[in-house]
Amino acid sequence: MTLKALLFDVDGTLAETERDGHRPAFNKAFADHGLDWHWDESLYGELLAVTGGQERMHRYITDHLEPDQRPADAEDLVPRLHRLKNEYYAQLIADGEIALRPGIRRILDEAREHGLRLAIATTTTRVNVLALLDSLLGPGARDGFELIATADEVPDKKPSPAVYTYCLERMGLAAGECLAIEDSENGVRASLALGIPTLVTVSEYNRDGDFDGALLVVDHLGDPGLPCRILGGQAAGRLGRVDRIGVPELQALFADA
Ligand code: XBP
Ligand code: MG
């Protein structure tokens, strides 16, 4: 089949948002509320198995706090903490604390030149996606995506394939005409559940992920002066030596897939 569209995950794929944005923002929100909760990197890595910021806080409360430490008003508190976390997250973006991962700007430009259709398929909240796109890719960048599918439209979060089902239906595409670009095991489970060929750009918190079934696994997409490393994937052997993944490489993987 011909490659027609790229479906991008956001967190960990476009930028190291979990490391540089969400985790510090959660901790600021907890401190503001006078809570002695603190999510260090190791704990956050563990909690990332739960997708969705609110779901993650509920999991922390039930699995990491003693019954007498659990807030009585968790149902109200969690959404309030989440809103505050997202405000801090937007502030970190505005302060320049979060950068695009290598090759992201380049592949988006190349994809447009080649006439590929572009969409976002994420578990995070719409407000977070728009803040990130506006700031890192510039005002108007959001219009470059034909569809931005987030937890606001699709509350059933990855590893559920629901957000990808939504994209395929809305865009009128077959799974085999798309390439999903993901960074995590939960993301790959979501895309592969529908048979969407998937490229993994492994992010900081996902070094030990199981990406079985992925078309290609790389450390990042690569940029001039910053070569990527191919780490695995079903089609890895077909690429040969490459320094960066661009549209011609994606098309080559596809032709052979
Ligand atoms: C992203 C998530 C989100 C973010 C935080 O997963 O799981 O919950 O961690 O965003 P993916 P929210 O990269 O697979 O889309 O607080 O808005 O949930
Ligand atoms: Mg991700």
Side-chain angles (χ1 to χ4, degrees):
M1 271 215 202
T2 316
L3 174 62
K4 292 189 178 163
L6 304 183
L7 311 179
F8 282 87
D9 170 52
V10 173
D11 292 302
T13 296
L14 298 186
E16 287 285 2
T17 50
E18 302 293 5
R19 183 192 66 192
D20 301 334
H22 292 297
R23 186 184 75 87
F26 274 115
N27 286 328
K28 282 172 191 271
F30 300 155
D32 272 14
H33 273 257
L35 296 162
D36 66 353
W37 307 354
H38 180 82
W39 291 355
D40 63 20
E41 282 179 17
S42 150
L43 174 57
Y44 195 64
E46 201 182 307
L47 290 170
L48 276 175
V50 183
T51 50
Q54 297 202 38
E55 291 84 345
R56 198 168 296 144
M57 283 188 270
H58 280 296
R59 174 65 66 86
Y60 173 71
I61 290 167
T62 52
D63 286 10
H64 294 268
L65 298 179
E66 297 299 330
D68 63 340
Q69 297 174 316
R70 292 178 194 152
D73 61 342
E75 290 306 319
D76 290 332
L77 179 64
V78 163
R80 276 192 280 128
L81 285 169
H82 193 243
R83 272 194 298 277
L84 186 57
K85 183 276 286 184
N86 285 346
E87 284 172 25
Y88 277 122
Y89 176 75
Q91 192 56 54
L92 287 165
I93 293 172
D95 291 346
E97 296 291 330
I98 305 178
L100 285 176
R101 290 193 64 196
I104 292 295
R105 187 185 296 276
R106 176 181 57 73
I107 207 154
L108 286 170
D109 289 345
E110 271 186 47
R112 288 196 187 98
E113 281 162 26
H114 283 80
L116 291 178
R117 296 166 68 185
L118 298 174
I120 296 277
T122 179
T123 287
T124 195
T125 326
R126 190 166 194 88
V127 65
N128 292 340
V129 179
L130 297 182
L132 194 80
L133 294 180
D134 289 353
S135 174
L136 299 191
L137 287 164
R142 58 173 85 174
D143 301 330
F145 294 91
E146 173 179 340
L147 180 66
I148 297 181
T150 72
D152 295 41
E153 295 77 33
V154 188
D156 193 7
K157 300 185 168 79
K158 298 172 191 174
S160 160
V163 71
Y164 281 110
T165 305
Y166 179 84
C167 286
L168 297 185
E169 283 177 4
R170 290 286 296 263
M171 297 171 81
L173 287 165
E177 295 175 318
C178 305
L179 180 77
I181 305 182
E182 280 284 356
D183 71 298
S184 72
E185 209 172 304
N186 278 327
V188 168
R189 279 166 65 195
S191 54
L192 290 185
L194 299 182
I196 301 174
T198 303
L199 164 65
V200 183
T201 58
V202 182
S203 63
E204 195 80 18
Y205 278 109
N206 290 285
R207 302 257 173 255
D208 302 322
D210 174 4
F211 302 121
D212 204 26
L215 199 59
L216 189 71
V217 183
V218 290
D219 55 350
H220 53 71
L221 295 173
D223 254 339
L226 192 60
C228 65
R229 262 190 322 129
I230 294 177
L231 306 175
Q234 289 181 339
R238 298 187 211 135
L239 260 195
R241 231 192 83 78
V242 291
D243 285 344
R244 60 184 112 152
I245 306 299
V247 172
E249 285 73 27
L250 300 183
Q251 285 168 334
L253 290 172
F254 241 72
D256 288 339

